[in-house]
Amino acid sequence: MSKVSSSNSMWGGRFAGGPASVMREINASIPFDKRLWKQDIAGSKAHVAMLAKQGIVEGEDAQAITEGLNRIAAEYEADGVPVNMDLEDIHMVTESRLAELIGPAAGRLHTARSRNDQVATDFRLWVRDAIDEVQAGLEALQAALLARAEEHVGAVMPGFTHLQSAQPVTLGHHLMAYFEMIRRDRSRFADARARMNECPLGAAALAGTGFPIDRHATAAALGFDRPTDNSLDSVSDRDFALDYLMAATQCSLHLSRLAEEFIIWASQPFGFVKLPDAYSTGSSIMPQKRNPDAAELVRGHAGRIMGCMTALCVTMKGLPLAYSKDMQDDKPPVFEAHDLLGLSIAAMTGMIGTVTFRTDRMRALAESGFATATDLADWLVREANVPFREAHHITGRAVAAAEAAGTPLAELSIETLKAIDPRIDDRIYAVLTVDASVASRRSHGGTAPDQVRARIAQAREEMSR
Ligand code: ARG
């Protein structure tokens, strides 16, 4: 196996030879952890400011280090991070560039710190930012759902159980169901953010440090609520990444269900929606096709996001304290999941905002499926004091009669209905239409347009807080 000629310039003091090329390759995380550069520089700046304040590093050296770090940030911003496999990771790439820029003083930056607490800090900062991005995306999705729900608060459609027409609902109510899912997702991300907001910097390699550092100062400088309380846990904890991935998984499941509805609704037999051109593709051989690719990919991405979550669970399973290199593999699944989730949220927001709902078609199907059968049974209970189970049987006979006659329930004659059960009178027609059915479901959280309107108003109020 080939070897590089020299040992590692950052940690190679006791090594006579360099690593095998495959060792360099398996060891290096720079190809992916370069995404942490902003957080790495922010963490180093907070650390060196604290070292100077505590008298651990001379003010002059700290100043040179800070200026050097600012310059490196400008370089990365302009040209990207150089991928140098010999230097392993973002921490060493940056420190080695600092040495090129300011000389030996650069070597003082790593006092009272290890890459173990450094990477734990950087990654937490990154995931915290990622959550803020997701929250902004989900807020836009909620706004789109609210707008379309409000527009269609009275549009009747079939409500389904077992994907069979069950009872009429409104499109506004249906869309608001997704609003509620996203609201819970946002609360999960907010919980995760609050829980992770403790700073591991200063835990050093695993045991803390003998230098008189001020962990409260670095925690505050980086926007954390407080320092973490156990150095071993600090460098080996990746709960924050798992919390993110679990919240992302749950969110992606919701998005996949919404995507699936769109896929079904866009199919010809349903015809509930016309997907916007901007989120559909054509077929290269079938000119009539208009495929819901964006929705299908959102459905598919949920599987990949769940895979990322599983990958990190399996990486962490059974790891002894404290840091082990396995944990370097924590980043790719989080980055991948975050990218996929961002795309999925944006695609669903775009689709919700621009899809054409075929409310005439929805109404026609709601009227055709005997969807008001429960209303007939409820009427018998309410107005004729019939026990529900008996009312259910009577209604079953009415449905059979309507089916045989090929008409909706509302078009059965009163004679026919009375022949089924004499207690029925013509007040029944007031509950057999789909509009009467949805309007009657005024229980809290029910589909009645005034209930849904009230929830929309309350949701808007909650979001403006
Ligand atoms: N690149 C490493 C990671 O991502 C940084 C920590 C390295 N620590 C160590 N003891 N080798 O986990």
Side-chain angles (χ1 to χ4, degrees), residues 21 67 88 91 127 133 140 157 184 186 212 215 221 234 280-281 283 317 372 419 455:
S21 67
E67 283 166 14
E88 285 186 32
H91 323 297
V127 174
E133 267 177 44
M157 62 175 276
R184 292 194 296 277
R186 292 192 61 190
R215 292 194 59 206
S234 304
S280 317
T281 61
S283 154
K317 179 187 173 296
T372 57
R455 177 64 189 121

Side-chain angles (χ1 to χ4, degrees), residues 142-163:
Q142 283 184 309
L145 285 165
L146 279 176
R148 299 313 300 269
E150 189 157 53
E151 185 185 330
H152 295 294
V153 77
V156 175
M157 62 175 276
F160 299 95
T161 60
H162 313 267
L163 202 55

Side-chain angles (χ1 to χ4, degrees), residues 29 33 89 91 115-116 119 238 323 325 327-328 331:
S29 54
D33 70 15
D89 58 25
H91 323 297
R115 277 186 294 155
N116 296 350
V119 73
R238 292 297 182 271
Y323 177 87
K325 197 65 170 257
M327 289 164 66
Q328 177 164 281
K331 287 167 267 325

Side-chain angles (χ1 to χ4, degrees), residues 35-48:
R35 274 181 84 160
L36 298 176
W37 73 260
K38 275 192 182 142
Q39 290 76 17
D40 193 64
I41 286 183
S44 289
K45 283 167 73 172
H47 183 64
V48 76

Side-chain angles (χ1 to χ4, degrees), residues 372-403:
T372 57
T374 318
D375 299 273
L376 172 51
D378 287 349
W379 185 91
L380 284 164
V381 171
R382 222 172 34 242
E383 304 296 332
N385 199 24
V386 178
F388 181 78
R389 198 48 64 203
E390 189 188 343
H392 187 284
H393 284 293
I394 297 166
T395 305
R397 292 202 293 280
V399 167
E403 203 162 22

